[in-house]
Amino acid sequence: MSGLHVAVVGATGAVGQQMLHTLEERDFPVKKLTLLSSERSAGKKVLFKGVEVTVEVATPDKFEGVHIALFSAGGSVSKELAPEAAKRGAIVVDNTSYFRMDPNVPLVVPEVNEEDIKSHNGIIANPNCSTIQMVVALEPIRKSYGLNKIIVSTYQAVSGAGAAAIDELESQSQAILNKEAFTPSILPVKGDKKHYQIAFNAIPQIDKFEDNGFTFEELKMINETKKIMHDQKLQVAATCVRLPVVTGHSESVYIEVEDENVTVQDIRSLLENAPGVVLQDKPEEQVYPMPADCVGSNYVFVGRIRQDLDNKKGFHLWVVSDNLLKGAAWNSVQIAESLVKLGVISKYLSRKERRL
């Protein structure tokens, strides 16, 4: 197959734009590109490899002949159109939370469970941005030394809540510096009852609260990690916090391994050669990952690795990544690359043709 027909749904959004940039940067074999969006954005022109492509309204018939459809337009759009795309022979890589916990839909981070894409039925889910960077950092440790427990606290950028949240951070910051009044209207959750200041603040709520006291974002991290690592017995707890950072999620991660003979140097050596990971861990030189330095990178950065003072099997790590790239666009394109590399597309199309 010399070239593929690729569709991007939500092409004018922040993640959709990053998907297009990543497809171009990776020189993905795009023979034909279809850009889809809501009626509001239809008609806009987007430049791809020096050629202007017109954005069209996303409707079921637009997926005829599409090989790979990258979705990032919200759960309701995925719910309606992803099955329609799959019905027409496309393999959907969905960046929303809608299909993630569906037992019939693989939830994939290529560095961790690439083989799972072979079991797809037309739809593959892209995990939550915070989950992705954490499992990339922890999978090499789990494979070598076992993993019993994860406790993670996240420090998440406002870009994870969309362009309006970025605008609100910037306008509030300016208002505070100018000693002007302002009224928060976006964070922590646009549709929730209360909204709080994000500038010069930290909000310990991302997404709505569930009955058990955890937020939906926290439950995503808990449940997705177990699904990706194929381990329902793994103990996972999460606290997710929004910080006044534009791009780049940070995480403080505590883990407990099974092997009591593991050392900090063992973990450093593993991560130094781990796929998708950059080790930045020289505390004596104040070298550690920071979100300001990871913007625009596809990698997951790990540092501050240290053994717990009370538990020989316990270790602490600091994990940082660009939430719009590895946390969304790059992981989606990586899945598309895996589909090509493993020959999954050709087999899927042949299977479809035999059924017709």
Side-chain angles (χ1 to χ4, degrees):
M1 192 174 289
S2 59
L4 300 172
H5 183 178
V6 177
V8 176
V9 183
T12 59
V15 174
Q17 288 291 293
Q18 287 285 13
M19 284 175 172
L20 290 170
H21 174 74
T22 305
L23 287 167
E24 186 168 346
E25 184 180 63
R26 296 288 298 177
D27 198 24
F28 190 79
V30 180
K31 186 176 182 180
K32 181 180 179 182
L33 181 66
T34 297
L35 302 184
L36 302 172
S37 72
S38 63
E39 288 186 13
R40 189 178 66 250
S41 299
K44 289 184 178 179
K45 307 282 187 182
V46 174
L47 207 61
F48 182 76
K49 291 189 174 182
V51 177
E52 274 193 345
V53 183
T54 303
V55 178
E56 305 172 64
V57 178
T59 54
D61 61 290
K62 296 291 171 54
F63 296 100
E64 295 289 350
V66 170
H67 297 113
I68 296 176
L70 305 179
F71 273 65
S72 189
S76 59
V77 175
S78 294
K79 176 185 177 181
E80 179 188 353
L81 291 179
E84 294 292 337
K87 192 189 300 181
R88 288 162 173 77
I91 299 178
V92 172
V93 180
D94 182 43
N95 196 53
T96 76
S97 63
Y98 188 78
F99 293 101
R100 287 177 188 158
M101 298 314 298
D102 186 323
N104 298 311
V105 175
L107 183 65
V108 176
V109 178
E111 293 91 343
V112 180
N113 61 332
E114 183 181 53
E115 289 291 313
D116 285 3
I117 68 170
K118 293 179 179 178
S119 65
H120 79 88
N121 291 303
I123 300 173
I124 299 167
N126 200 54
N128 178 267
C129 46
S130 301
T131 305
I132 291 172
Q133 68 186 68
M134 184 175 76
V135 298
V136 168
L138 297 186
E139 177 63 7
I141 301 169
R142 187 194 69 81
K143 283 172 70 175
S144 295
Y145 304 120
L147 199 56
N148 291 323
K149 180 183 285 188
I150 303 169
I151 300 174
V152 57
S153 296
T154 72
Y155 308 86
Q156 295 180 221
V158 295
S159 55
I166 298 174
D167 292 342
E168 183 163 81
L169 169 60
E170 292 174 349
S171 64
Q172 284 180 9
S173 300
Q174 196 64 55
I176 291 170
L177 292 172
N178 292 339
K179 295 182 169 38
E180 297 169 351
F182 60 89
T183 303
S185 61
I186 303 294
L187 295 169
V189 182
K190 185 173 174 59
D192 221 339
K193 296 182 287 291
K194 292 182 179 178
H195 300 105
Y196 295 116
Q197 166 188 332
I198 183 60
F200 305 99
N201 197 17
I203 303 176
Q205 179 190 355
I206 298 179
D207 219 317
K208 293 192 174 183
F209 283 101
E210 302 295 310
D211 291 341
N212 59 10
F214 285 82
T215 65
F216 188 45
E217 180 84 358
E218 290 159 356
L219 293 178
K220 285 181 204 171
M221 291 197 74
I222 292 166
N223 296 324
E224 291 175 19
T225 299
K226 294 179 180 185
K227 181 175 179 178
I228 294 164
M229 290 184 165
H230 302 289
D231 187 357
Q232 290 303 312
K233 293 181 179 178
L234 180 62
Q235 297 176 46
V236 187
T239 300
C240 294
V241 181
R242 189 76 73 188
L243 287 193
V245 171
V246 174
T247 305
H249 288 353
S250 303
E251 299 172 347
S252 173
V253 186
Y254 169 77
I255 61 170
E256 289 180 9
V257 297
E258 293 174 0
D259 187 342
E260 64 179 18
N261 298 311
V262 179
T263 66
V264 167
Q265 191 50 50
D266 289 333
I267 292 177
R268 280 185 183 142
S269 298
L270 265 183
L271 294 179
E272 205 163 23
N273 301 298
V277 173
V278 173
L279 184 68
Q280 292 183 333
D281 193 24
K282 294 181 180 177
E284 69 280 1
E285 298 175 21
Q286 289 180 268
V287 173
Y288 36 70
M290 292 180 286
D293 298 329
C294 80
V295 176
S297 173
N298 292 334
Y299 290 97
V300 172
F301 297 82
V302 184
R304 296 295 319 276
I305 302 169
R306 57 211 185 275
Q307 191 168 37
D308 190 74
L309 297 178
D310 298 307
N311 185 345
K312 282 182 67 176
K313 295 182 180 180
F315 292 87
H316 301 264
L317 305 88
W318 178 250
V319 181
V320 181
S321 192
D322 185 323
N323 54 295
L324 298 179
L325 285 174
K326 183 53 184 167
W330 166 228
N331 200 72
S332 296
V333 173
Q334 254 187 308
I335 292 171
E337 289 186 353
S338 295
L339 288 168
V340 174
K341 181 179 74 175
L342 298 177
V344 175
I345 294 175
S346 300
K347 290 175 186 173
Y348 181 64
L349 290 175
S350 298
R351 213 164 65 232
K352 281 271 182 185
E353 286 165 8
R354 282 199 299 271
R355 288 205 297 264
L356 294 174

